[in-house]
Amino acid sequence: MNRTELEAILPHRAPMLLLDEAEVVDEEAHGRITITGDEFFVQGHFPGNPVVPGVILCEMLAQNCCVLMESGLSGAGVTPFYTSLDKVRFKHPVRPGDTVELTCRITRSRGPFHFAHGEARVAGELCCVADMSFALMPADTGAQNA
């Protein structure tokens, strides 16, 4: 999926749509984004030594997970909300010029809740790992609870 196809399933838009492309292979989502240095999140983090913030790496993983939940998102009038992050570890910094390779899989589902494991790598080196959960909620519910 390219960015246009991703916009058809994800509620995110620029500048928060963080994936350049994604695909599902053998029940795993494989996403990719190349960090140019022009992104809002590296502009002030840190001047002279830009690094992608860890929370942004977690958001990249979350968006990649949403590709796995496509059938529950496309035209269903639901929004995926993070419900937890667990066992998050940052192993290596991500910098402008790096291409982040994301791999996520759903580990279990129960009703509107989906649990996942994700990893972010640059050139094969593990940068971030996390266990996450999401709730697929009717779109109007999110506005009331925000």
Side-chain angles (χ1 to χ4, degrees), residues 32 71 92 111:
R32 163 182 275 200
S71 63
H92 191 269

Side-chain angles (χ1 to χ4, degrees), residues 15-74:
M16 280 307 295
L17 178 58
L18 301 177
L19 300 178
D20 290 335
E21 60 187 57
E23 65 179 338
V24 177
V25 177
D26 296 329
E27 298 184 25
E28 285 187 340
H30 296 271
R32 163 182 275 200
I33 181 172
T34 299
I35 307 301
T36 65
D38 294 330
E39 296 85 1
F40 74 92
F41 49 82
V42 294
Q43 294 301 306
H45 193 265
F46 305 99
N49 186 24
V51 175
V52 174
V55 68
I56 296 294
L57 290 172
C58 291
E59 179 62 21
M60 290 174 187
L61 288 170
Q63 290 182 22
N64 194 51
C65 284
C66 288
V67 171
L68 290 167
M69 297 180 273
E70 176 184 5
S71 63
L73 297 174
S74 295

Side-chain angles (χ1 to χ4, degrees), residues 79 81 138-146:
T79 301
F81 286 98
D140 59 337
T141 301
Q144 295 169 4
N145 294 329

